[in-house]
Amino acid sequence: MVAEIKALKAMVKFDDFAKLDLRVARILEAREHGNADKLLVLKIDLGFEERQICAALKTHYQPEELVGRSIVVLANLEARTMRGELSQGMLLSAAEGPAKLQVVLLEPAVDLAPGSVVA
């Protein structure tokens, strides 16, 4: 199957990219969001602290299959409330096609400690 590829977004300077703090995190807990059809609420370990993030994964993953997995997160994204739940970061994933029929979490190829820097 050939994926439909979107055009690139506007180019950014290296200094802008360098502001992003990408880290490895381990999912400690996962549950359905009580007030959203697509969101899961994840408790993650960043090595130096635990946080909560909301992610639109409900139609792609069961909460119990996420617990214990290592993921890549944008750790310095400003926190916001998503339908009543605090989200303190964003996980990185890849989606295929405009309908996002398949969503795949970005995970380290080997076991890395939570908090490891992704460069």
Side-chain angles (χ1 to χ4, degrees), residues 11-107:
M11 299 299 277
V12 297
K13 297 187 182 306
F14 181 82
D15 290 344
D16 293 326
F17 174 76
K19 294 175 186 176
L20 302 179
D21 192 347
L22 301 173
R23 301 286 181 119
V24 173
R26 184 157 291 120
I27 301 173
L28 301 174
E29 298 174 11
R31 64 177 170 82
E32 292 185 9
H33 189 296
N35 191 27
D37 293 338
K38 296 180 182 179
L39 296 177
L40 293 179
V41 181
L42 310 176
K43 181 178 177 182
I44 61 168
D45 176 10
L46 274 170
F48 52 90
E49 69 181 10
E50 293 179 3
R51 291 190 187 174
Q52 176 173 289
I53 60 174
C54 297
L57 297 174
K58 191 172 181 180
T59 58
H60 304 284
Y61 293 94
Q62 294 298 313
E64 59 273 7
E65 67 183 304
L66 296 172
V67 175
R69 291 174 78 163
S70 291
I71 57 174
V72 176
V73 299
L74 177 56
N76 66 334
L77 183 65
E78 189 173 293
R80 71 180 191 149
T81 301
M82 299 177 72
R83 307 200 103 202
E85 292 279 0
L86 182 65
S87 187
Q88 302 165 292
M90 178 185 288
L91 66 79
L92 300 185
S93 64
E96 190 171 59
K100 298 181 182 178
L101 296 176
Q102 181 177 8
V103 173
V104 178
L105 300 175
L106 296 187
E107 302 178 76

